[in-house]
């Protein structure tokens, strides 16, 4: 792939497909990390007198105009973050029809088009809509790693239609960092996987099982694997239909599972977590976290790692009394000397909650894209960029 550093953008119109899919509540952005992550690319283009046109989606309007999913609040907050004016383009059809030619490019101007998914052609990967997006400017910069695994108009057809398509600074860094972790990690590589369900992470577990020196498993995923090994898990979240698959996985892969757990009889803010050894889990118990000995064991593996890859919490960390295991892991990863890579929305939320004073070497901006890249799947955006 060509990157932004490989082409001249001076005094050109540059279209940047960013990921501004951020949580908005009553007009306010509650987490703006994705906005901040794109600032280096915006500043790079601005410093070269480029006119910048930003494209993004927000939420899942399914091709319909939904005012609550407008990117207008994003434009206003971006202005504050970069200290520059950002023109918000509400009517994209009018913009396409009145698009000025190359001679009327305004160096330094920054625009943000309305939510791409208001147009049904975006998720349909329309060649027509993608062609319009790709030919707005002279250079199309793909900067939205979190959407790279989807074949949409702005992530595939626009890249192909553009006069020149390149990887943005953030996107190139994501690909390079994750590729290095999967192909040439500093050893030992310790992978920590949590979250609710095996079904969403089976391929991830299988891939990591082949390359990681140690695979630590917690969260609801561990419940299904514990059940597959014959342990009582009570009323815990499990996927019984995957028990046989989990048994096969456990016999072919070296994994570390919890040796003790925290349980309750109802997942609610006022409930307390009770300690259980695995052979003490009762019929009415619900496992909501790893236990203290498991936390210490996992932390020892992490402290000796050359590389740590972490995806998924160890329990229901959103409720404080069920989050101790996740806190222990977050602090262990944040303080280890090895190279640490964090990915997944829940994992990022966990480190924000527990480890403000710790430093992580790399935090991926992708959710599902992070998982699919680790699994080794092909990305439409990478395919299109590589073909140019």
């Amino acid at each position: 792939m060509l990157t932004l550093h490989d082409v001249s953008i001076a005094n050109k119109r540059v279209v940047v497909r960013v990921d501004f899919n951020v949580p908005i509540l009553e007009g306010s952005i509650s987490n703006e990390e994705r906005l901040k992550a794109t600032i280096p690319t915006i500043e790079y283009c601005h410093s070269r007198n480029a006119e910048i046109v930003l494209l993004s989606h927000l939420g899942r309007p399914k091709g319909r105009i939904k005012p609550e999913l407008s990117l207008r609040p994003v434009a206003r907050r971006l202005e504050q973050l970069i200290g520059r004016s950002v023109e918000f383009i509400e009517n994209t059809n009018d913009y396409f029809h009145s698009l000025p030619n190359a001679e009327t490019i305004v160096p330094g101007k920054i625009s943000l088009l309305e939510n791409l998914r208001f147009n049904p052609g975006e998720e349909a990967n329309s060649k027509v809509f993608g062609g319009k997006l790709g030919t707005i400017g002279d250079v199309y910069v793909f900067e939205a790693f979190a959407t790279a695994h989807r074949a949409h108009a702005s992530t595939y057809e626009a890249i192909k239609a553009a006069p020149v398509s390149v990887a943005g600074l953030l996107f190139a860094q994501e690909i390079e960092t994750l590729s290095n972790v999967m192909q040439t990690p500093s050893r030992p590589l310790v992978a920590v996987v949590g979250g609710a369900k095996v079904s969403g992470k089976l391929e991830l577990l299988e891939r990591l099982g082949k390359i990681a020196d140690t695979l630590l498993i917690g969260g609801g995923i561990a419940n299904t694997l514990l059940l597959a090994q014959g342990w009582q898990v009570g009323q815990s979240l499990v996927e019984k239909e995957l028990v046989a698959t989990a048994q096969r996985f456990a016999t072919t892969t070296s994994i570390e599972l919890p040796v003790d757990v925290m349980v309750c009889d109802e997942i609610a803010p006022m409930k307390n977590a009770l300690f259980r050894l695995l052979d003490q889990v009762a019929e009415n118990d619900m496992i909501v976290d790893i236990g203290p000995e498991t936390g210490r064991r996992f932390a020892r593996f992490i402290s000796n790692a050359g590389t740590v890859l972490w995806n998924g919490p160890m329990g229901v960390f959103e409720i404080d009394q069920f989050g101790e295991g996740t806190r222990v892991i977050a602090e262990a990863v944040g303080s280890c000397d090895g190279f640490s890579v964090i990915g997944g929305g829940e994992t990022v939320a966990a480190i924000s909650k527990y480890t403000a004073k710790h430093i992580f070497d790399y935090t991926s901006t992708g959710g599902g894209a992070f998982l699919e890249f680790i699994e080794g799947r092909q990305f439409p955006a990478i395919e299109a960029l590589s073909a140019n």
Side-chain angles (χ1 to χ4, degrees):
M1 296 183 297
L2 291 175
T3 71
L4 190 53
H5 289 302
D6 296 323
V7 297
S8 173
I9 60 171
N11 299 303
K12 294 181 179 179
R13 185 178 297 117
V14 177
V15 182
V16 188
R17 194 347 178 156
V18 293
D19 179 19
F20 287 167
N21 186 30
V22 296
I24 299 178
L25 183 62
E26 297 180 353
S28 297
I29 300 170
S30 58
N31 186 323
E32 55 193 31
E33 292 305 312
R34 285 183 171 177
L35 272 68
K36 293 178 179 178
T38 63
I39 291 177
T41 290
I42 294 173
E43 293 294 347
Y44 179 90
C45 296
H46 191 274
S47 69
R48 284 152 178 78
N49 291 320
E51 179 180 338
I52 305 165
V53 181
L54 303 172
L55 311 177
S56 182
H57 75 281
L58 177 62
R60 297 178 179 179
K62 300 296 182 181
R64 294 175 294 169
I65 296 175
K66 294 187 175 182
E68 68 274 18
L69 293 178
S70 172
L71 283 168
R72 187 180 294 276
V74 175
R76 302 290 77 83
R77 181 54 183 152
L78 183 62
E79 284 185 324
Q80 296 170 351
L81 290 173
I82 64 177
R84 307 183 193 282
S85 176
V86 177
E87 180 181 0
F88 181 65
I89 308 296
E90 183 174 8
N91 193 319
T92 55
N93 286 328
D94 285 351
Y95 178 77
F96 290 141
H97 290 309
S98 62
L99 193 65
N101 57 41
E103 295 177 356
T104 58
I105 286 175
V106 183
K109 179 181 179 181
I110 304 173
S111 305
L112 172 63
L113 268 60
E114 180 59 285
N115 192 340
L116 293 175
R117 290 186 180 176
F118 284 178
N119 189 310
E122 168 63 2
E123 290 189 271
N125 194 23
S126 163
K127 193 168 186 177
V128 173
F129 187 54
K132 291 180 179 179
L133 296 173
T135 55
I136 289 173
D138 305 291
V139 180
Y140 193 89
V141 181
F142 189 79
E143 192 68 304
F145 177 75
T147 69
H149 60 317
R150 304 291 185 223
H152 292 169
S154 65
T155 67
Y156 187 72
E157 288 295 345
I159 296 173
K160 294 172 61 179
V164 178
S165 298
V166 299
L169 305 182
L170 177 63
F171 184 72
Q173 185 182 32
E174 289 265 14
I175 299 303
E176 181 180 5
T177 300
L178 296 181
S179 295
N180 287 341
V181 167
M182 299 304 294
Q183 297 169 12
T184 57
S186 297
R187 299 285 181 176
L189 169 59
V190 176
V192 186
V193 181
K197 295 183 177 181
V198 174
S199 55
K201 296 185 178 179
L202 186 58
E203 291 184 44
L204 173 71
L205 292 172
E206 291 176 339
R207 180 86 188 277
L208 291 176
K210 295 176 182 178
I211 66 170
D213 298 288
T214 305
L215 181 53
L216 312 176
I217 302 178
I221 292 175
N223 298 341
T224 300
L225 288 162
L226 289 170
L227 182 63
Q229 294 189 0
W231 293 105
Q232 170 67 257
V233 296
Q235 301 301 309
S236 306
L237 173 67
V238 294
E239 294 173 278
K240 292 183 179 179
E241 69 278 9
L242 290 177
V243 167
T245 301
Q247 287 174 332
R248 289 194 296 272
F249 172 74
T251 57
T252 59
T253 308
S254 178
I255 59 176
E256 295 288 335
L257 290 172
V259 296
D260 57 350
V261 294
M262 304 302 292
V263 304
C264 67
D265 59 5
E266 181 185 3
I267 299 177
M270 300 305 293
K271 291 291 183 177
N272 290 321
L274 303 175
F275 171 80
R276 295 279 192 270
L277 293 172
L278 290 184
D279 59 4
Q280 296 173 337
V281 176
E283 184 177 348
N284 293 324
D285 285 339
M286 300 175 67
I287 299 173
V288 290
D289 196 8
I290 59 174
E293 177 56 28
T294 301
R296 287 190 288 267
R297 291 179 72 248
F298 282 12
R300 285 195 292 270
F301 280 112
I302 293 167
S303 66
N304 294 319
T307 305
V308 181
L309 180 66
W310 180 25
N311 173 261
M314 297 293 99
V316 190
F317 77 97
E318 296 88 349
I319 299 176
D320 289 345
Q321 57 268 38
F322 305 153
E324 182 63 13
T326 300
R327 183 193 66 78
V328 169
I329 297 305
E331 292 193 350
V333 175
S335 59
C336 77
D337 293 330
F339 187 80
S340 55
V341 178
I342 312 299
E346 286 188 325
T347 318
V348 173
I351 65 174
S352 298
K353 180 175 182 178
Y354 294 120
T355 56
K357 295 181 181 179
H358 293 274
I359 297 175
F360 299 88
D361 294 297
Y362 197 79
T363 302
S364 174
T365 60
F370 172 83
L371 296 179
E372 292 196 18
F373 190 89
I374 297 300
E375 290 167 5
R377 298 191 187 186
Q378 298 298 311
F379 278 23
I382 294 178
E383 175 193 333
L385 287 166
S386 300
N388 285 328

